Every structure is written in structure tokens, then in C-alpha cells.
Amino acid sequence: MKRTLFILHRWLGIALGLFMLIWFFSGLVMIYAGASRVDSLTRLAHSQALPESAPPLSAGQAWRRAWPERADEAPAEARLMMQAGEPMWLLIDLAGQRHMLSAVDGRRVSTDAARAVRLAQDWARAAGRAATPSFIETVRADAGTRMMNFDPFRPLHRVALNDADGSQLHISAKTGEVVRVTTTISRTLTWLGSWLHFFRPLDDIGLGEQRKDILTWSAFAACFAVLTGLWVGWQRWRPGWFGQRRYGSGQVHPYRERWPRWHFWLGLTGSGWAMLWIFSGFLANNPWHLFSHASVRPAELARYHGGGLPAAALDWRAPLATPSVELHWRRLGEHSVLLAHQADGRVSRLSEFGAPQAASADRPAFSADELTRAALRLYPGAQVTQHNWLSEGDAYYYPRPRGDDALDKPFPVLRLQLNDASASWLYLDPATGQLLKRVDRSRRAYRWLFNALHSWDVPVLRSRPLWDGWMIIASVLGIGLGVTSLVVGGKRLARSWPWRRIR
């Protein structure tokens, strides 16, 4: 048995050493590559100011002109913004599809290459940067946009700003929204980071359908390799404690050559970290559907909000009382609120319909009772067992150590715990009525088995630079394990290669 485990570890290490090196190196790169997806604060800062006059068409008028056959339907959300010097309504229907309509004449607006260049020019001008944009290509997905959160915006135009940083924008052909901004350095880090980490080269050689399975089962085999390595290391370590005999030379291990010796010590000190990291990586793709889905489906969101926007909101047209770059209609039940967003991220209520009788100007847009009723629409038959107002993160809703946009991770929030079959917890934003996060019993387990062990998002490490030190030390140990595995395995292969026996 001992001999079998030793041989298994040797050959698994030879086969998987390169994978482990890639995972640990690319993971370290990903930590410091930074996010390239445009967050809410960045989007607002690069937005054009809306005119103070009322929009020529209301959201409902634009909708009915664009789709007369859908006149009896109502979109779930409506956002008014400026795009290429023209006021536009971005409408999201109950199926979650995004539509950009002119607020001047109601025409459906898609973005071609020429319009994408104009939008890139406006983006650079808003940042006070000189740029001469040029169109590169239209892609369904490339190295930095294969993630599912880009799906609502595809296809994407890639436009170069031709500035000193080598900046490029990914602009949605469907809506004209800028969804990703990169520089030469950040694109290089993407190739060295996420592209390698998630085995994206397999997509480029026609193995995209098999990539997740290959990634998952490679991690499973690597778990076994590390586990057998831990066992072999402990078997071969003789520290001389409690009368235990050391090796003949007085050493605590049998290795005389440098590389096996380094591999031995790195294995003893770093294999625990490596095992937890690889095991959590194995769970990343949810093998056997062990965990529930994290996303909330459009039909569920429609039920939560209480349907599409009411006629009073869809027919709203009025001059702006506050200088704004974006207006956003939000609905919960019978209550609809028009939020005015400024370029610096400040938000104010511009108008509302169906507000509670006791509403006051300084209250949040939506009350705890309204949020609770929305939650129970999402889970009919369930009851709220506990509710708490959170002014800072808890174990499941929190700003990540790498930072989160304050608009995308707001506080305070209302946390509701329900007694439905999955014991769901909901995190709700009183300022917008938005369902920020849903975690059921299964996702709470996933949070500790994946997020805690893979990103080390645990309360004790939530502050920086403590988290950075932990991640760097653990990553360097993992890289060292991968390098020494390759060297030791390569030497073993060189000694046992058939042509050497023939000579």
C-alpha cells in the first residue's frame, strides 16, 4: 500500500505539476490584475449630463412606438441617459432583455462600428483625455469577456482609444453601453491570469464544451496528488521526536539532492494550503450540481417587483429639478420611484407614485414593509423568521478584500431570513428596492467551501494588507510546489525514458 501511494504521487505529480504551477501563478496574477468591467460609479462618471428640459418622449411612448404589438406590456425597468448627444431610454423587459430606444422619436437603436467609435470618443472626453478612437473588431466573446455576466450585452465592439496607455473599450452592439475598459498592461494580465487559470486556451481549439469538465476533473486529480504527497511527506519525515530515529546522516528526510529536498519542505509547509485551494477550485464549477444556482431568474425578479412599471411611471415627462446624468425608475408593488443619479454617484428621488401615506422626504425610497412584501411575493407561502438592518457586511454580504463599488455593494441593507424549504436569506436595498443577493442553505455552504477557501474571504482576513500577505505567501508556496514538481518529475522522466535504456 505504501509503495502504491508513493508511485501514484510520483506519476500524478509528473502529470499535473504544470497544471498546479499554472493555477497558482495565474491566481496570483488575478489578485492584482484589477477589475476591467465597468462598475456603476465609473459608468456614471463617464456619462453625459441630461438636458434640464423634459424628454420628448416618455418611456411608455417610446416603448409603444418601437413595439406597437407589445403596447399592453410594460418593461420592468426604465433608465433615461444621454448617448451620442441624444436622450435615450434603456428599457429592460420582464424577460431580462435590454432595449435601447430613442427618447426623441422612439426608434430602436443598435450600435454599429461607426457609432461605437463616437461613443468611445465621448467616453474619453468625459474623462478629460485626448483620444482618436478606431474600430478594431466585433466579437461574440474574447479572452476578457467570456464570463456569463457579459451575456446581456453581446455582441461586443472592441474600440481602441489610441492613447498612451493602449486603452481599449468593449461596447455593447445591442445597447451602446461601455462594459469593459482595458489597457495594454491589464490585457497582458488577463492573458497571464484568468485566461490561463480557467483553461481558456481550450475554447480557442474547439474544446469549449469540454473545458469545464477538464478543469473540474483536473482539480479532482490534483487534490488526490496533493493528498498522497502529504501522506508520503509525513511518512518520510523523521524529526527525532519522542525517541524516533533519524536517517543515518542525521537528517530528518532521506533527500540529498537540492530539488527533491526543496519539494519535500515545500510540501510539508504548503500542501495544506494547496489542498484547500485545489479542493475549492474543484467545487467552483458545481460538480454534480451539488449547490443551487446563485442567480435570480428574470421571472423571479418580475414576481419580486410586482410586474412591469405602472402607467404613471411609464408616462412621466417633466423638467429635471436636479442636474443628473441618469434617471432610473424602480418599482416595488404599487410604489414606483424615479431616482436621479449624478456623475459623482449621489442619488436623489426625483418623483414617485403610490408612496405610502406616511412617507417623508428623508426616508429611504422603500420601507421595510414594502421590502418584506416583495420578498413574500418571491416566496409565496413563506414567512419571515428574522429581519435585521445591516450597516456593515456580515458573513455572506460584504465588500470583498479587493474592493467593491459602493453603488454595487450598498449599505444599509435589510436582511430577511425566510422559512421556505431552502431557508433563504435575502439582502434588500431600501434606496432602490433592489434584490442585492439571495443565499439559501446550499449557497451558504458553498460560500464557506469555495469563497472562504479559494479567495480567503473570511472575517479575520478581510482587512488589507493582512489579506495580501496571506495570499502572497500561500501563492508563492503553491508556485514553489509546482516548479519543484516539474523539475523532480522531469528528471525522473529523463532517467526512465526508453531511449536511455537502448543506449
Side-chain angles (χ1 to χ4, degrees):
M1 180 65 176
K2 185 185 297 187
R3 177 69 177 168
T4 300
L5 288 175
F6 183 81
I7 293 173
L8 273 174
H9 175 68
R10 174 193 296 165
W11 290 106
L12 283 172
I14 290 172
L16 299 170
L18 180 60
F19 288 168
M20 292 180 64
L21 176 60
I22 288 173
W23 281 327
F24 286 112
F25 170 75
S26 60
L28 183 59
V29 171
M30 287 172 65
I31 292 172
Y32 297 103
S36 58
R37 183 171 181 183
V38 174
D39 58 30
S40 296
L41 281 175
T42 303
R43 185 191 75 247
L44 294 172
H46 288 81
S47 298
Q48 301 175 47
L50 288 165
E52 294 183 3
S53 59
L57 295 179
S58 68
Q61 289 172 320
W63 176 267
R64 290 187 291 271
R65 287 196 185 187
W67 289 284
E69 70 279 8
R70 301 174 66 182
D72 56 345
E73 296 181 29
E77 289 186 42
R79 282 166 44 190
L80 181 67
M81 63 187 69
M82 292 293 290
Q83 199 177 88
E86 181 180 3
M88 310 289 294
W89 283 107
L90 174 62
L91 303 180
I92 303 176
D93 63 26
L94 294 176
Q97 295 297 309
R98 307 169 80 85
H99 310 280
M100 189 66 79
L101 307 180
S102 169
V104 175
D105 55 20
R107 74 187 187 280
R108 302 181 217 178
V109 179
S110 58
T111 298
D112 58 12
R115 183 178 175 85
V117 170
R118 164 72 189 276
L119 295 174
Q121 182 72 66
D122 292 343
W123 179 276
R125 188 181 296 116
R129 297 162 62 182
T132 54
S134 59
F135 178 77
I136 301 175
E137 63 177 339
T138 300
V139 297
R140 186 71 191 171
D142 57 14
T145 59
R146 297 190 189 276
M147 292 75 74
M148 288 188 296
N149 52 14
F150 288 101
D151 287 350
F153 306 97
R154 305 186 198 279
L156 304 170
H157 298 305
R158 195 154 63 95
V159 179
L161 294 186
N162 297 310
D163 58 4
D165 296 329
S167 301
Q168 293 183 7
L169 310 182
H170 283 76
I171 299 175
S172 171
K174 184 182 289 187
T175 64
E177 296 169 276
V178 178
V179 296
R180 187 169 185 257
V181 181
T182 61
T183 63
T184 300
I185 292 175
S186 67
R187 287 191 299 277
T188 302
L189 293 177
T190 295
W191 288 102
L192 295 175
S194 60
W195 190 73
L196 288 176
H197 198 78
F198 299 115
F199 289 7
R200 291 296 182 184
L202 296 176
D203 293 336
D204 300 328
I205 61 173
L207 293 175
E209 294 294 324
Q210 294 79 30
R211 180 185 59 83
K212 285 188 176 181
D213 288 337
I214 294 172
L215 186 62
T216 298
W217 295 109
S218 295
F220 181 81
C223 281
F224 192 69
V226 174
L227 189 61
T228 56
L230 274 171
W231 186 88
V232 170
W234 280 103
Q235 288 293 312
R236 297 216 158 187
W237 186 38
R238 297 182 185 175
W241 297 341
F242 308 111
Q244 182 188 45
R245 293 177 57 189
R246 294 192 175 191
Y247 290 91
S249 58
Q251 294 189 117
V252 298
H253 57 76
Y255 304 107
R256 297 182 180 181
E257 296 182 13
R258 178 178 54 187
W259 287 102
R261 187 166 63 247
W262 286 359
H263 186 68
F264 170 80
W265 284 118
L266 284 168
L268 281 185
T269 56
S271 286
W273 266 322
M275 181 69 187
L276 293 175
W277 244 332
I278 296 170
F279 171 71
S280 57
F282 165 70
L283 296 177
N285 288 316
N286 196 6
W288 307 301
H289 302 287
L290 292 172
F291 306 98
S292 61
H293 292 285
S295 60
V296 182
R297 296 175 175 84
E300 293 177 305
L301 278 179
R303 195 162 69 243
Y304 169 80
H305 288 293
L309 291 170
L314 290 173
D315 293 337
W316 173 91
R317 285 179 61 249
L320 302 189
T322 304
S324 307
V325 297
E326 183 176 296
L327 304 183
H328 197 161
W329 275 109
R330 294 282 193 177
R331 174 191 183 174
L332 277 186
E334 300 302 318
H335 184 192
S336 299
V337 175
L338 180 61
L339 301 174
H341 295 265
Q342 295 179 247
D344 59 5
R346 285 181 293 170
V347 184
S348 58
R349 285 202 304 279
L350 190 63
S351 183
E352 60 186 313
F353 300 103
Q357 292 280 331
S360 61
D362 59 350
R363 63 169 173 80
F366 297 99
S367 67
D369 287 342
E370 291 177 294
L371 294 169
T372 300
R373 287 195 294 271
L376 296 180
R377 282 194 299 271
L378 183 59
Y379 291 95
Q383 293 181 332
V384 176
T385 59
Q386 188 173 342
H387 71 275
N388 304 93
W389 286 102
L390 304 181
S391 57
E392 59 183 13
D394 65 0
Y396 303 99
Y397 177 84
Y398 54 90
R400 294 172 300 172
R402 284 175 281 178
D404 276 305
D405 178 353
L407 287 180
D408 294 331
K409 192 76 69 168
F411 288 97
V413 298
L414 178 64
R415 183 183 68 196
L416 298 180
Q417 299 179 27
L418 306 179
N419 66 352
D420 63 298
S422 300
S424 300
W425 294 12
L426 306 181
Y427 294 82
L428 311 175
D429 183 7
T432 65
Q434 190 175 2
L435 173 56
L436 298 168
K437 190 168 188 177
R438 171 176 69 178
V439 286
D440 59 16
R441 185 185 297 108
S442 169
R443 298 308 297 185
R444 290 194 290 277
Y446 182 82
R447 181 262 183 272
W448 294 110
L449 292 173
F450 176 72
N451 298 96
L453 300 181
H454 210 71
S455 302
W456 294 98
D457 288 346
V458 293
V460 71
L461 294 176
R462 202 165 284 172
S463 62
R464 305 185 77 167
L466 179 62
W467 181 80
D468 298 85
W470 179 277
M471 297 297 282
I472 290 171
I473 292 171
S475 298
V476 169
L477 286 172
I479 291 169
L481 269 174
V483 169
T484 54
S485 294
L486 286 175
V487 173
V488 173
K491 289 186 173 183
R492 175 69 188 188
L493 282 176
R495 287 197 302 268
S496 59
W497 204 250
W499 67 267
R500 291 183 63 91
R501 296 175 187 169
I502 295 171
R503 291 179 57 188

